[in-house]
Amino acid sequence: DNTGAKVVVTPLAKATTTAAGQPIVLPQKNAQVIASAFDIPPGATLPVHQHPFPRYAYVLAGTLQVTNVETGESTTYKPGDFIVEMIGKWHQGSNIGSEPVKLLVIDQVEKGQPATVLRQ
């Protein structure tokens, strides 16, 4: 019997801007939410890419370094960090730790549009 059990809500993040300081603007039509689990092995680096729409990531495990390749600035994220990804800016992520990086990723896109665009 768990009638005395208490639900615990722990606030993780509040944000009005992306990691690059941009205001968060949501898709205005045919919004679609996509949730994905990412598993990035140690030493792996994602290709240079950008997101045309809002993307959020919660770090479950590992150490992720995200570099804005336009400015050269890097930010390191650890378990428990919530990332409001930069929009329309070329960047890449690298697992700089010794264990897999595990992310819960949530995209908000216009239905039928890509969440990620790779640099050609």
Side-chain angles (χ1 to χ4, degrees), residues 1-70:
D1 182 19
N2 278 343
T3 52
K6 297 269 190 275
V7 174
V8 177
V9 177
T10 304
L12 298 175
K14 283 186 184 177
T16 57
T17 60
T18 71
Q22 306 154 294
I24 297 169
V25 179
L26 302 180
Q28 296 303 300
K29 61 184 184 190
N30 302 321
Q32 182 178 39
V33 173
I34 303 167
S36 310
F38 279 56
D39 198 321
I40 305 168
T45 296
L46 298 168
V48 175
H49 63 278
Q50 64 175 270
H51 308 291
F53 298 102
R55 167 174 279 198
Y56 311 104
Y58 182 70
V59 183
L60 298 164
T63 304
L64 178 71
Q65 184 178 66
V66 176
T67 302
N68 177 335
V69 299
E70 297 177 19

Side-chain angles (χ1 to χ4, degrees), residues 19 64-68 72-77 81 86 94 96:
L64 178 71
Q65 184 178 66
V66 176
T67 302
N68 177 335
E73 291 180 38
S74 292
T75 305
T76 300
Y77 298 99
D81 286 343
M86 59 191 84
S94 298
I96 60 170

